Amino acid sequence: MPKQKPDLPQGTLDMLVLKALSLGETHGYGVGQRIQALADDMLRVEEGTLYPALYRIEQCGWIESEWGTSENNRRARFYRLTRAGKKQLGIEETRWSHLTDAIARVMQATTA
Amino acid sequence: MGKMRVLRDRLRALWQPDRVHDDIADEFRFHMEMRARENERRGMSAADARRDAEQRFGSAARIHDIAYDVRGGGWAEALWQDIRYGARVLASQKVFSATVILTVGIGVGANATIFTLVDRLLLRTLPVERPGELEQLTLPNDWSSFSAPFYRELRRRNDVFSGVLARQIEPATIGTAGEARRGLIELVSGNYFSVLGTRAQHGRLLNDEDDRVTPDSPAAVVSDRYWRRRLSSDPAAIGKTIQIDSHAFTVIGVAPPDFFGVEVGVAPDVWVPLAMQPQLYSPGHSLADDADANWLTVIGRRARGVTHARAESGATLVLQQLQAESVRPIPVDWPRTIQLIDMSRGLSRLRRQYEASLRLLMGVVAIVMLIACASITTLMMTRSTARRREIAVRLTLGATRARLVRQLLTEGAVLSFCGGALGIVFARWGLGALIHVLPAARVPTSVDANLDARSLVFSLALSMLTALLFSAGPALRSTRPDLAGAIRAGSDSITARMQRMNGRKILVAVQVALSLVLVIGASLFARSLAHVAAIPLGFETDNVIIASIDPSLSGYKPGRVRRFYHELESRLVAIAGVRAVGFSAFPLLGGEMSMRTITGPGAPDATNLQSTLVTTNTVGGDFFAAAGIQLRRGRGFDARDSLRGPRVVVLNEAAARHYFPGDNAAGRTVLLGGAQPATVIGVVSDTKYVSVREENPRIVYFPADQDPGVMGGGERTIYVRTTGSASRFAGDLESAVRDLDKTIPLYNVKTLATQKSQALVRERLVATLSTLAGSVALALAAIALYGLISFGAVSRTREIGIRVSLGADRASVIWLIIRGAAGMVIGGCIAGLGLGLLLSRFVRSHLYGVSPTDALTMGMAVGVLMCTAIAAALLPALRASRIDPTEALRCE
């Protein structure tokens, strides 16, 4: 089997964005960098698709944004987790661990 | 919070879509720059770094679109685009747009006007607590007035109502410091407001304590309107004194703004306790214990869980108990059951008078709306044919069908919206005009002339529905994929064209049919009105001016009232050009009358009310001469018939025949109330009394000077017969009264002819409005016919050119074009006649002296329609006949 970076499962990008922003305020590029760093470059994300996700999450009120100046003195939009976002991250983490537990159990049963 | 934010963002995107686009692009650019820098840091060349960054980012254009879907205006922006595009397209086709807007405007305006009246008078419930529980007490013979003792006992004994109220409405002179005006007061039982469940806006409302005894300074509640207009919305007005018929009342509160009492269209200015009846209603004579005086409307609120039927039997039980005891609430020979009438929509004389007419007019305006829709659909179809090429181009360029249909629907909606707005303007005028002609009887009517939210919603919903109706069909047809082939040929196949022409022909035929129905209706109502107006009244309406006056409101006692009228008469008679002056207690054709039991040889049994209850009027001065009533035998009233002289009466011929069959009545005696003798001194000709369409009633006239002036106070209608036009004498009449006593107001000054035409207002209303509707329908049908025929003629230019070059003459070309129209018109007429016959049973009761299937009327209506159609077809036909064959063959 050829080695391949897995695509992101449907609906998990939001959770990853929240997780990345829980480490502190950053711009869109920073969010992408963080996700890649955390995944040790194992996940493949089309970088541009991050932005519609960011906008959608912002409309949910989980993050908020502001124009500011980047480390290299460029105008950039910075994102920050809101209180609601923190709560949402908690919910998503629990759900995710339940889901992976369940899937792991099923997979073990079949191999046994 | 999230929702608000999204909405705010979307709206911002609506105003500044470019800013949102720039924002997104900026952010993407920043991202790629960062990635490129990172790549360079790792040792890539600038060009490679750039390429890699772009590759990793993905398709920027596609992602931008996805991002804009999230951030931008979304559906709102697409809609806004459609609207702007639609407005631009429509603005470039001014004649088309104006025609559609005007047509929708007429349709919506007519419907909103009638709907508002229907809503006010027929549909809306009273603004009180749980109006569905309210019931009005009546008898099976439509009697609905009861005595104070009956009300008191019913309230005490019944076990089916949680509360019972009584009320009576009455005109009065209401004065604040410095001014007095005629207004309306409602005498109400103390529990009136609590039974209705109404709360005060300021101060408090009346309660049973206020109604207990006549206090020195009785309490009064004023209406919101009165408070705003006369008390300048001053909360400190509570505790102030107002004068009602020269009695002082203390204002204790203001009713809520939407509260108008219990009678639709008759809104009192002031509510006062029933206990004040001896001062205000039938002055000087207490009716509190008078079981014979039936003057109160009685309304009950059903107790929880009590059904309509059970409430009816409960009230009937009380009536029968009372009838068995000494209290006799109703005459012995009347039916002894109470009928409860649903009061949730309030009492309404106006409703009773106009319900049938309004329903009829509702039908008429609905037909106008249908015609408007058919007419606009025809226009839309013609236009979408013209736009076929544009649509085909857009389809081939990749626009989806749904997108184009949405665009066309939006254009329709824009047109309808403008039309609806215009319609609301029309409706405001129409309503103002209509309410103006509703007759002012003794109790003036007040229907709010403003369109409220319900009417506005109705108008908008109607125009949007219209938009859907007239634009959906053409939109779906014109975007049909196979039409895309049109772009290649430049013109479509003959069959497709024929199909569209057939569709339009059918629509025009439908319009012709509906217009014919309206024209038939209009001519029927016009002829009916002419018949009613020609009914002989028995008196002469020309050159008579009338006015109402009531000196007792200025505190005159009966003796002084009599002197006042004598003096007024002699002043008026002295004016040059005045031929006769008279007075009557009840105005002719005023919709009211008094009745009395009188017996005579032909009708001896006083308990037989059918035979002995007779209409009466009390008259003074030279009433018969002033009103133009002929003296047949004996003499009229004169100075001999004073309070001290023997009791005398004058009969009309119908009464004379009834009481003295086959005999000369003059000089004979009748018995008033079956007991008191009165000599018949004369017989006068028969006249109408209450209304134009009644049978000539039996009338007994009493001389004013023998009226002790107890019942009905001193209100009189003055009649002045003049040489030449009577309306010139209004000023003389007013100054004569002012010279005598300037505190006595003169009101309802008008000519007797006006009084007659006001008595026919319902007939005139229906005739005028249906004529108007018929004319509009004809005009719309003519426009549609003209449009269709000219379109047909233009698209047959080539054919006509060939015919002419082969030797056809002008007449045959004209005939060719007209023949094309004949099918639609004749078909439409046949359908219209059929429809007219079907609908005839709905109008029968509205007609007088003409049958709803009258052949002459129908023939005339068809004639009018044919003439209009020929006129509409002739113009394009003439134009076609002038086609130059070489010119015609060269084009295309």
Side-chain angles (χ1 to χ4, degrees), chain B residues 251-263:
Chain B
V251 176
I252 59 163
V254 182
D258 59 346
F259 185 76
F260 56 81
V262 293
E263 185 161 353

PDB file of all heavy atoms in Angstrom, chain B residues 251-263:
ATOM      1  N   VAL B 251     -65.569  64.266  34.749  1.00  0.00           N
ATOM      2  CA  VAL B 251     -64.803  63.264  33.982  1.00  0.00           C
ATOM      3  C   VAL B 251     -64.000  62.432  34.967  1.00  0.00           C
ATOM      4  O   VAL B 251     -63.184  62.966  35.720  1.00  0.00           O
ATOM      5  CB  VAL B 251     -63.860  63.957  32.979  1.00  0.00           C
ATOM      6  CG1 VAL B 251     -62.996  62.916  32.267  1.00  0.00           C
ATOM      7  CG2 VAL B 251     -64.646  64.770  31.976  1.00  0.00           C
ATOM      8  N   ILE B 252     -64.257  61.093  34.972  1.00  0.00           N
ATOM      9  CA  ILE B 252     -63.506  60.243  35.901  1.00  0.00           C
ATOM     10  C   ILE B 252     -62.444  59.412  35.208  1.00  0.00           C
ATOM     11  O   ILE B 252     -61.579  58.845  35.851  1.00  0.00           O
ATOM     12  CB  ILE B 252     -64.438  59.300  36.699  1.00  0.00           C
ATOM     13  CG1 ILE B 252     -65.226  58.401  35.742  1.00  0.00           C
ATOM     14  CG2 ILE B 252     -65.360  60.079  37.611  1.00  0.00           C
ATOM     15  CD1 ILE B 252     -65.832  57.197  36.432  1.00  0.00           C
ATOM     16  N   GLY B 253     -62.522  59.315  33.876  1.00  0.00           N
ATOM     17  CA  GLY B 253     -61.520  58.493  33.206  1.00  0.00           C
ATOM     18  C   GLY B 253     -61.608  58.582  31.704  1.00  0.00           C
ATOM     19  O   GLY B 253     -62.549  59.174  31.150  1.00  0.00           O
ATOM     20  N   VAL B 254     -60.607  57.982  31.059  1.00  0.00           N
ATOM     21  CA  VAL B 254     -60.534  57.952  29.600  1.00  0.00           C
ATOM     22  C   VAL B 254     -60.502  56.486  29.168  1.00  0.00           C
ATOM     23  O   VAL B 254     -59.734  55.689  29.704  1.00  0.00           O
ATOM     24  CB  VAL B 254     -59.259  58.663  29.097  1.00  0.00           C
ATOM     25  CG1 VAL B 254     -59.215  58.661  27.575  1.00  0.00           C
ATOM     26  CG2 VAL B 254     -59.180  60.073  29.645  1.00  0.00           C
ATOM     27  N   ALA B 255     -61.367  56.130  28.199  1.00  0.00           N
ATOM     28  CA  ALA B 255     -61.404  54.751  27.690  1.00  0.00           C
ATOM     29  C   ALA B 255     -60.157  54.474  26.855  1.00  0.00           C
ATOM     30  O   ALA B 255     -59.531  55.411  26.372  1.00  0.00           O
ATOM     31  CB  ALA B 255     -62.663  54.552  26.852  1.00  0.00           C
ATOM     32  N   PRO B 256     -59.797  53.200  26.689  1.00  0.00           N
ATOM     33  CA  PRO B 256     -58.600  52.896  25.885  1.00  0.00           C
ATOM     34  C   PRO B 256     -58.763  53.323  24.421  1.00  0.00           C
ATOM     35  O   PRO B 256     -59.892  53.446  23.940  1.00  0.00           O
ATOM     36  CB  PRO B 256     -58.455  51.381  26.010  1.00  0.00           C
ATOM     37  CG  PRO B 256     -59.705  50.875  26.592  1.00  0.00           C
ATOM     38  CD  PRO B 256     -60.391  52.002  27.272  1.00  0.00           C
ATOM     39  N   PRO B 257     -57.647  53.545  23.713  1.00  0.00           N
ATOM     40  CA  PRO B 257     -57.686  54.122  22.364  1.00  0.00           C
ATOM     41  C   PRO B 257     -58.512  53.322  21.359  1.00  0.00           C
ATOM     42  O   PRO B 257     -59.187  53.902  20.525  1.00  0.00           O
ATOM     43  CB  PRO B 257     -56.219  54.139  21.929  1.00  0.00           C
ATOM     44  CG  PRO B 257     -55.433  54.062  23.173  1.00  0.00           C
ATOM     45  CD  PRO B 257     -56.266  53.346  24.172  1.00  0.00           C
ATOM     46  N   ASP B 258     -58.462  51.983  21.427  1.00  0.00           N
ATOM     47  CA  ASP B 258     -59.174  51.224  20.402  1.00  0.00           C
ATOM     48  C   ASP B 258     -60.620  50.935  20.774  1.00  0.00           C
ATOM     49  O   ASP B 258     -61.352  50.347  20.005  1.00  0.00           O
ATOM     50  CB  ASP B 258     -58.435  49.901  20.118  1.00  0.00           C
ATOM     51  CG  ASP B 258     -58.308  49.052  21.383  1.00  0.00           C
ATOM     52  OD1 ASP B 258     -58.551  49.602  22.474  1.00  0.00           O
ATOM     53  OD2 ASP B 258     -57.980  47.856  21.281  1.00  0.00           O
ATOM     54  N   PHE B 259     -61.051  51.366  21.932  1.00  0.00           N
ATOM     55  CA  PHE B 259     -62.396  51.028  22.396  1.00  0.00           C
ATOM     56  C   PHE B 259     -63.423  52.009  21.829  1.00  0.00           C
ATOM     57  O   PHE B 259     -63.261  53.217  21.953  1.00  0.00           O
ATOM     58  CB  PHE B 259     -62.438  51.052  23.925  1.00  0.00           C
ATOM     59  CG  PHE B 259     -63.757  50.605  24.484  1.00  0.00           C
ATOM     60  CD1 PHE B 259     -64.101  49.263  24.504  1.00  0.00           C
ATOM     61  CD2 PHE B 259     -64.664  51.528  24.983  1.00  0.00           C
ATOM     62  CE1 PHE B 259     -65.324  48.847  25.016  1.00  0.00           C
ATOM     63  CE2 PHE B 259     -65.891  51.123  25.498  1.00  0.00           C
ATOM     64  CZ  PHE B 259     -66.216  49.781  25.503  1.00  0.00           C
ATOM     65  N   PHE B 260     -64.456  51.480  21.161  1.00  0.00           N
ATOM     66  CA  PHE B 260     -65.467  52.365  20.586  1.00  0.00           C
ATOM     67  C   PHE B 260     -66.867  52.007  21.046  1.00  0.00           C
ATOM     68  O   PHE B 260     -67.853  52.381  20.430  1.00  0.00           O
ATOM     69  CB  PHE B 260     -65.385  52.342  19.060  1.00  0.00           C
ATOM     70  CG  PHE B 260     -65.506  50.960  18.470  1.00  0.00           C
ATOM     71  CD1 PHE B 260     -66.754  50.380  18.309  1.00  0.00           C
ATOM     72  CD2 PHE B 260     -64.378  50.258  18.095  1.00  0.00           C
ATOM     73  CE1 PHE B 260     -66.869  49.106  17.780  1.00  0.00           C
ATOM     74  CE2 PHE B 260     -64.494  48.973  17.563  1.00  0.00           C
ATOM     75  CZ  PHE B 260     -65.733  48.397  17.414  1.00  0.00           C
ATOM     76  N   GLY B 261     -66.974  51.260  22.151  1.00  0.00           N
ATOM     77  CA  GLY B 261     -68.291  50.838  22.599  1.00  0.00           C
ATOM     78  C   GLY B 261     -68.637  49.500  21.982  1.00  0.00           C
ATOM     79  O   GLY B 261     -67.759  48.715  21.650  1.00  0.00           O
ATOM     80  N   VAL B 262     -69.938  49.249  21.797  1.00  0.00           N
ATOM     81  CA  VAL B 262     -70.342  47.933  21.305  1.00  0.00           C
ATOM     82  C   VAL B 262     -70.982  47.998  19.926  1.00  0.00           C
ATOM     83  O   VAL B 262     -71.381  46.989  19.385  1.00  0.00           O
ATOM     84  CB  VAL B 262     -71.321  47.245  22.281  1.00  0.00           C
ATOM     85  CG1 VAL B 262     -70.613  46.895  23.580  1.00  0.00           C
ATOM     86  CG2 VAL B 262     -72.533  48.133  22.547  1.00  0.00           C
ATOM     87  N   GLU B 263     -71.064  49.218  19.347  1.00  0.00           N
ATOM     88  CA  GLU B 263     -71.713  49.334  18.041  1.00  0.00           C
ATOM     89  C   GLU B 263     -70.702  49.803  17.007  1.00  0.00           C
ATOM     90  O   GLU B 263     -70.156  50.900  17.114  1.00  0.00           O
ATOM     91  CB  GLU B 263     -72.892  50.309  18.126  1.00  0.00           C
ATOM     92  CG  GLU B 263     -73.667  50.365  16.828  1.00  0.00           C
ATOM     93  CD  GLU B 263     -75.065  50.943  17.005  1.00  0.00           C
ATOM     94  OE1 GLU B 263     -75.472  51.175  18.149  1.00  0.00           O
ATOM     95  OE2 GLU B 263     -75.726  51.167  15.981  1.00  0.00           O
TER      96      GLU B 263
END
